[in-house]
Amino acid sequence: MTLGIGLIGSGYMGKCHAMAWNGVATVFADVERPRLVALADATTELAAKHGRAFGFARSTGNWRDLVADPQIDVISIAAPNQFHAEISVAALEAGKHVWCEKPMATALEDARRMRDAARSSGRIAVLGYNYIQNPMIRLAKSLIEQGEIGVVNHIRLEMDEDYMAAAAEPFYWKSEKTSGYGALDDFAVHPLSLLTVLHGRISEVSADMAKPYATRPDRSGGTRAVENHDIAQALFRTGTGASGVLMVNRTAWGRKGRIAIQIYGSEGSILYDQERMNELEIYSARDPAGRQGYRRILSAPDHPPYRDFIPAPGHGLGFNELKVIECRELLSRIAGEEAHVIDFDTGFEIEEVVHAMAASAAERVWKRIG
Amino acid sequence: MTLGIGLIGSGYMGKCHAMAWNGVATVFADVERPRLVALADATTELAAKHGRAFGFARSTGNWRDLVADPQIDVISIAAPNQFHAEISVAALEAGKHVWCEKPMATALEDARRMRDAARSSGRIAVLGYNYIQNPMIRLAKSLIEQGEIGVVNHIRLEMDEDYMAAAAEPFYWKSEKTSGYGALDDFAVHPLSLLTVLHGRISEVSADMAKPYATRPDRSGGTRAVENHDIAQALFRTGTGASGVLMVNRTAWGRKGRIAIQIYGSEGSILYDQERMNELEIYSARDPAGRQGYRRILSAPDHPPYRDFIPAPGHGLGFNELKVIECRELLSRIAGEEAHVIDFDTGFEIEEVVHAMAASAAERVWKRIG
Amino acid sequence: MTLGIGLIGSGYMGKCHAMAWNGVATVFADVERPRLVALADATTELAAKHGRAFGFARSTGNWRDLVADPQIDVISIAAPNQFHAEISVAALEAGKHVWCEKPMATALEDARRMRDAARSSGRIAVLGYNYIQNPMIRLAKSLIEQGEIGVVNHIRLEMDEDYMAAAAEPFYWKSEKTSGYGALDDFAVHPLSLLTVLHGRISEVSADMAKPYATRPDRSGGTRAVENHDIAQALFRTGTGASGVLMVNRTAWGRKGRIAIQIYGSEGSILYDQERMNELEIYSARDPAGRQGYRRILSAPDHPPYRDFIPAPGHGLGFNELKVIECRELLSRIAGEEAHVIDFDTGFEIEEVVHAMAASAAERVWKRIG
Amino acid sequence: MTLGIGLIGSGYMGKCHAMAWNGVATVFADVERPRLVALADATTELAAKHGRAFGFARSTGNWRDLVADPQIDVISIAAPNQFHAEISVAALEAGKHVWCEKPMATALEDARRMRDAARSSGRIAVLGYNYIQNPMIRLAKSLIEQGEIGVVNHIRLEMDEDYMAAAAEPFYWKSEKTSGYGALDDFAVHPLSLLTVLHGRISEVSADMAKPYATRPDRSGGTRAVENHDIAQALFRTGTGASGVLMVNRTAWGRKGRIAIQIYGSEGSILYDQERMNELEIYSARDPAGRQGYRRILSAPDHPPYRDFIPAPGHGLGFNELKVIECRELLSRIAGEEAHVIDFDTGFEIEEVVHAMAASAAERVWKRIG
């Protein structure tokens, strides 16, 4: 019997989940085609329209219908962040597997509740950290694990976009305190998810948060004070003693989807930039003298699971396809297999780091995690 | 009533069509979800297996079943190249719309037959030149049309891969004369399709073809003479008098999916490389002195139809998604709308250029086209 | 009467000064050819050999001979760092102009003494911060001053090399506490000199310093504890309220002469990397929508003083030529003209920042400067 | 006794020679400092002014004074191209060594006369093909000779600048027939000199030449027909049977000092671009599967003679420093040592290729060389 799927939310992330659910069995030969049972959104009309477009059999204006539906085995949660906790907990308690978009929750307490619900449910609960699914990131992970760059001793992580870079950008909910710390929880979770996968956990931080614009125009022609921080940076140490820096900026003119990673080890280093997501650069100190240099590797069938998408190297995967891979990993985990995902346990640890950074910035002291 | 789809062939290109047919309505809000009626492949078993995986309702080991099926409106042809003509003509004569993978055919006469069948059928017949669908290529086209680089006077086109670069690569059908000229018809049609879209038609050529390896190992431990050319290059002039060079090489170590384009005009120039398919570079002589330079534009919602895939800039489309765009353009054309496709008429012109290049190389003289 | 030059030290930096003194009048049409009077080094033999090679009329094993020589107007100091203070002060007190290599001194107190000697001497005292002389850095400065990227609000500075990256690299004086803090004063002064020129002063820091290798092999087959830090990073705020991060690493495998700068403003951003020192990238939010991107500007005659070296754009200056420019700026300053240099006053401010960073790292608290 | 130097011409190339003569002994420890005896230019005044600035002891308005001067051993010829033959022959006949800027001559007959004069003089006669002196080019040469990319089978050479790209650029002598073929002899000799050094000789060509602008404005407000070709391209075969393409364009907007080289072999490939002259990229098919990619090597002390300029890697040489290396190679050749230069014999062969290309373009047929 194939799995029945319910999707909550049909904004961009909902659409991205829908693309994944539609595509996963075509791409992966060993995946049984899932049944697209029902889509829920805020209104019946919206749900009906997108349900049809996305290929779902039914639709509803009430997400609780999905939680109660015995036809549904897995619930994709792409609803606004503030509902993640409530829906996740309800779904898990109803015995559904959960695939929830990040960030996990806006309050650490909610994230903890989600983690605990997942633990006690015995169901699979996975977060939508799709960047870790890139075959190039998996290649980086494998290179590091095989010792190709030796012992990692220094890491730099940057995530930058410019969608809030215009000073003239009017005040909207993203600048409200209730939406979170700003760039820190908007962006930082992504590089932190990559750090978790590629290296390990952060143990200590000294952070700073900055406001490039103290006020923004409001819709009425006046201005309104910005309540959180569009820029954040943190010095950190990891459990192994490696040092590092995390930098995030959502007002970084020119940066569109940048997640730049530098990982230095005792035998080499690795570079990655999400804006060129089909490339990975490695420098090996073991190459012969005078012939050393960064080697730019293009994504290829040698880098699982690229081959499932394209049999020829260098042709390029897209951002949306990372979600298809994530979907497949979720299905593997549900089937009891080894899978490359960030579950609610690990997701909670990432949230802890974010909150420690915010506290460090507020109190201007170093903070230990855990 | 939505369109019924039949797919012939379930190798990689068949899978690519299947991904497109599964995804097109999820991606494009204004596209009615097509019905996946039937998949045909060489054997009943293969067809059944992939039909199920790809979401088709039925399957068959005989492609003529699809041509005869009144439920089917559009036939995707991803069968081996030598069958393109026969299937296309049969499908068109049966009143189906046709979406056929490139190259059009192995013999110019077959291509002509396909073109003529399309003309007399009154149906839509489109070729799978997916590279032209890249939003970055459409941006290049629009920049050129708006005069941003002035009058185009010089063009360089390169397409290089290394899948046949190993001297130790055993002889297989790709090196047989019957499979075609080699790199020339294997690759050249792609940059030529881009030239057609971005600039116009070639009027004259002087070509050369080369064999980096005169023989290749055969499976029995001996060697076999290579019968066609892994490398080809041609000087050309276009209808507007612009000069240019086309270079293709399927033994180019290090190149994976390179299609490098340089277009020079009287006011600027444009650069593109398929290996970084989400980028386009433009140089404008109108920028202020001392501040001129190539501007690297990342694919973004401003570049249709990127926005239908991702609402944020710089996140990156993948190769497979170009086929989804192509699918949508095909559907627009069927609906009688303006569409960005290469139909059998234009496709035939591209074939004419390829054959003229081969003749020029064989006779070592300049050849006029048309 | 042309200026008489004395050079102290004939190691690499001495040679670099010699190249500058030999070349400056050939390059710059308005510079009177200086007289190369005498070279001093540790021994008479070394001084004689290099004096002849470098084109100096005389040589000596005693640097005080140069200080006392009435034929000499300017003294180039390329002696080991620990002698900078003693020589500079003696030369200034003897009425010579001084061109001293960085870092200014190993102890803050020495740097202060040098600054005070310069102030009371009325002579010109300039430090060898050659990176600021790059026409591309001057272009960046001019773009910022003209408001091309608006108000600067965020800055990231990285300087990385790998000359100490090998764990097997034996312990030598660079790892001794007496040689300084490690990467912090070895490297940080360079990006800080660039920050000074491009933006302004740092007012507050939170720093961390790390040892990738706790011990290094000593020459006797054992190991010795490393006494300073090969890696350092600091969060900072500048006088204008901009936030930023400084990162330096002399064990960064793969990096050779990297000084990477990111400067973000309210209207655009600027990127620079010393490893591609003939390029500058600028992103302008004023470019039309859909055509925005980083513009890569190549060094050219439009960027003073590139034209004095080469009349054609894009041909490339080299690292050594920055010293020729610096030499010319020094001569301009001596002639009482406007000049682009870092004098002992500004140099002392840079040293203050370095020492504040070290203190912050040691005490693990934020430190204010000045 | 050190060598006495005479320099004829003090425009940019003369200045470049002067920089080399001033710097060569400072840079290279084993080079005896040459005596700068006299500079000649078109007028006494010009010669006097630049002679002083460039450090020459005497100056003259008559180049024959240098040829007659017994103090002078080597004559640098940086006079206009049409005088190369006359001066070279006179200097060689007077027993001087000659260092002559390229192109060798404007007429093939003149080049032959120069070659013959060099042969019968027994003196050293070297051409100013400075691009071959780049340590990165020498690295490429050594990689190829060591078999790192196997047997070379395909080569692409491009040289592009935009100094004549503006349609509004008024007609001047560069567009006159008497100045030569246009881009072909203006540029093509450079990539051909690199080909000579890296691979070998061209045996056959099919060329085309184009005029992006048929007319240019003249100074009187009218227009004048352009008499030569700003764009040229040629298919070629080399003596070893390798195929290739040469492309040159002096109206290529955006290109400043581009000389892009692609060399493909049976085991790898090499990429180079003069605009990033401190980098070389190599792809090796011997790297492990899944870890293959272009390796970007930065110029470093491992690449002779970089170390003579800078002891640290990645700091970058400049265009002018290539002339210093060339000067040192000339001195080595004069001293009877192995040297890396293009002498009049090899220079003449390069000229033969250029003229064959022009003939091929005019007659629209393939042409054999030699």
Side-chain angles (χ1 to χ4, degrees), chain C residues 12 15 18-19 22-23 25-29 32-33 36 49 52-55 131 161-162 254-258 274-279 296 298 307-321, chain D residues 12 15 18-19 22-23 25-29 32-33 36 49 52-55 131 161-162 254-258 274-279 296 298 307-321:
Chain C
Y12 171 58
K15 181 173 176 173
M19 288 191 250
N22 271 280
T26 306
V27 172
F28 293 100
E32 198 63 35
R33 203 169 178 85
L36 276 54
K49 181 183 158 202
R52 199 168 43 244
F54 295 176
Y131 294 115
E161 297 190 8
D162 62 5
R255 305 305 194 172
K256 306 301 176 179
R258 184 178 191 232
Q274 177 68 25
E275 285 183 0
R276 287 180 169 165
M277 60 173 274
N278 288 287
E279 304 181 10
R296 186 166 61 88
L298 291 182
R307 186 186 298 272
D308 292 282
F309 290 89
I310 314 172
H315 282 58
L317 298 188
F319 174 84
N320 288 325
E321 290 175 311
Chain D
Y12 170 58
K15 181 173 175 173
M19 287 191 249
N22 272 280
T26 306
V27 172
F28 294 99
E32 199 63 34
R33 203 169 179 85
L36 276 54
K49 180 182 158 204
R52 199 168 43 244
F54 295 176
Y131 294 115
E161 298 191 9
D162 62 5
R255 305 307 194 171
K256 306 301 177 180
R258 185 179 191 232
Q274 176 68 26
E275 284 183 1
R276 287 180 169 166
M277 60 173 273
N278 288 288
E279 305 181 10
R296 187 167 62 89
L298 291 182
R307 186 187 298 274
D308 292 281
F309 291 88
I310 315 171
H315 282 57
L317 297 188
F319 173 84
N320 287 325
E321 291 174 311

Side-chain angles (χ1 to χ4, degrees), chain D residues 47-299:
Chain D
K49 180 182 158 204
H50 288 139
R52 199 168 43 244
F54 295 176
F56 283 83
R58 296 196 299 274
S59 64
T60 169
N62 182 354
W63 62 264
R64 293 187 189 275
D65 292 346
L66 272 56
V67 171
D69 190 334
Q71 295 281 309
I72 290 176
D73 304 292
V74 186
I75 292 187
S76 269
I77 305 174
N81 301 344
Q82 64 264 35
F83 300 117
H84 286 182
E86 185 182 6
I87 302 176
S88 290
V89 171
L92 287 163
E93 289 179 350
K96 311 302 189 195
H97 303 294
V98 166
W99 184 17
C100 181
E101 271 311 301
K102 79 281 135 196
M104 205 167 172
T106 42
L108 187 59
E109 216 29 64
D110 283 339
R112 194 190 313 270
R113 225 157 35 91
M114 292 168 72
R115 183 197 63 180
D116 294 345
R119 282 183 179 176
S120 56
S121 73
R123 297 289 146 175
I124 301 307
V126 159
L127 290 158
Y129 282 111
N130 48 310
Y131 294 115
I132 69 166
Q133 303 297 345
N134 189 336
M136 294 288 95
I137 293 296
R138 291 206 198 173
L139 171 61
K141 182 179 171 60
S142 134
L143 290 167
I144 292 168
E145 285 173 357
Q146 289 164 22
E148 296 270 351
I149 62 166
V151 178
V152 169
N153 54 49
H154 187 62
I155 297 155
R156 294 184 194 152
L157 305 166
E158 296 168 274
M159 180 162 180
D160 304 300
E161 298 191 9
D162 62 5
Y163 72 92
M164 292 182 74
E169 179 79 21
F171 189 99
Y172 72 119
W173 63 266
K174 280 265 190 185
S175 292
E176 287 179 28
K177 196 180 192 68
T178 53
S179 82
Y181 304 117
L184 196 56
D185 41 12
D186 208 8
F187 283 180
V189 289
H190 290 295
L192 288 175
S193 72
L194 293 164
L195 181 67
T196 298
V197 159
L198 294 174
H199 176 69
R201 297 166 63 171
I202 284 179
S203 57
E204 214 176 351
V205 296
S206 170
D208 189 21
M209 302 201 292
K211 294 183 187 182
Y213 309 116
T215 63
R216 288 190 180 270
D218 64 13
R219 310 278 170 176
S220 68
T223 61
R224 184 168 161 189
V226 170
E227 298 169 8
N228 57 21
H229 297 84
D230 294 329
I231 300 178
Q233 42 261 348
L235 310 179
F236 65 81
R237 292 299 183 103
T238 73
T240 68
S243 67
V245 187
L246 174 83
M247 296 156 269
V248 293
N249 186 350
R250 59 189 192 186
T251 56
W253 273 125
R255 305 307 194 171
K256 306 301 177 180
R258 185 179 191 232
I259 306 180
I261 302 177
Q262 303 176 52
I263 303 179
Y264 296 97
S266 57
E267 303 285 340
S269 61
I270 286 177
L271 307 180
Y272 173 78
D273 184 348
Q274 176 68 26
E275 284 183 1
R276 287 180 169 166
M277 60 173 273
N278 288 288
E279 305 181 10
L280 187 80
E281 290 188 275
I282 178 165
Y283 181 96
S284 171
R286 294 166 190 149
D287 282 336
R291 277 98 177 104
Q292 296 183 358
Y294 278 105
R295 198 184 308 162
R296 187 167 62 89
I297 303 172
L298 291 182
S299 59

Side-chain angles (χ1 to χ4, degrees), chain A residues 12 15 18-19 22 25-27 33 52-55 131 161 256-257 275-277 279 296 298 308-311 313-321, chain B residues 12 15 18-19 22 25-27 33 52-55 131 161 256-257 275-277 279 296 298 308-311 313-321:
Chain A
Y12 170 59
K15 181 173 176 173
M19 287 190 250
N22 271 281
T26 307
V27 172
R33 203 169 180 85
R52 196 167 48 244
F54 296 174
Y131 293 115
E161 296 190 9
K256 306 300 176 181
E275 283 182 2
R276 288 180 168 164
M277 61 174 273
E279 304 180 12
R296 186 166 61 89
L298 292 182
D308 293 281
F309 291 87
I310 314 171
H315 282 58
L317 298 187
F319 174 85
N320 287 326
E321 290 174 310
Chain B
Y12 170 58
K15 181 173 176 174
M19 287 191 251
N22 270 280
T26 306
V27 172
R33 203 170 179 84
R52 196 166 49 243
F54 296 174
Y131 294 114
E161 297 191 8
K256 306 302 175 181
E275 284 183 1
R276 287 180 168 164
M277 60 175 272
E279 304 180 11
R296 188 166 61 89
L298 292 181
D308 292 281
F309 291 87
I310 314 171
H315 282 58
L317 298 188
F319 173 85
N320 287 325
E321 290 174 311

Side-chain angles (χ1 to χ4, degrees), chain A residues 3 5-6 17 20-21 24 28 31 73-77 96-100 123-128 133 138 322-344:
Chain A
L3 290 169
I5 311 302
H17 277 240
W21 286 120
V24 67
F28 293 99
V31 163
D73 304 290
V74 185
I75 291 186
S76 268
I77 304 175
K96 310 302 188 196
H97 303 294
V98 167
W99 183 18
C100 181
R123 295 291 147 174
I124 301 305
V126 158
L127 289 159
Q133 302 298 344
R138 291 208 197 172
L322 303 183
K323 194 57 89 181
V324 180
I325 302 175
E326 189 176 87
C327 183
R328 187 260 162 82
E329 293 297 313
L330 168 72
L331 294 174
S332 297
R333 175 68 78 98
I334 289 172
E337 293 155 21
E338 189 82 29
H340 180 66
V341 292
I342 289 190
D343 61 20
F344 280 19

Side-chain angles (χ1 to χ4, degrees), chain D residues 315-327:
Chain D
H315 282 57
L317 297 188
F319 173 84
N320 287 325
E321 291 174 311
L322 302 184
K323 194 55 87 180
V324 180
I325 302 176
E326 189 176 86
C327 184

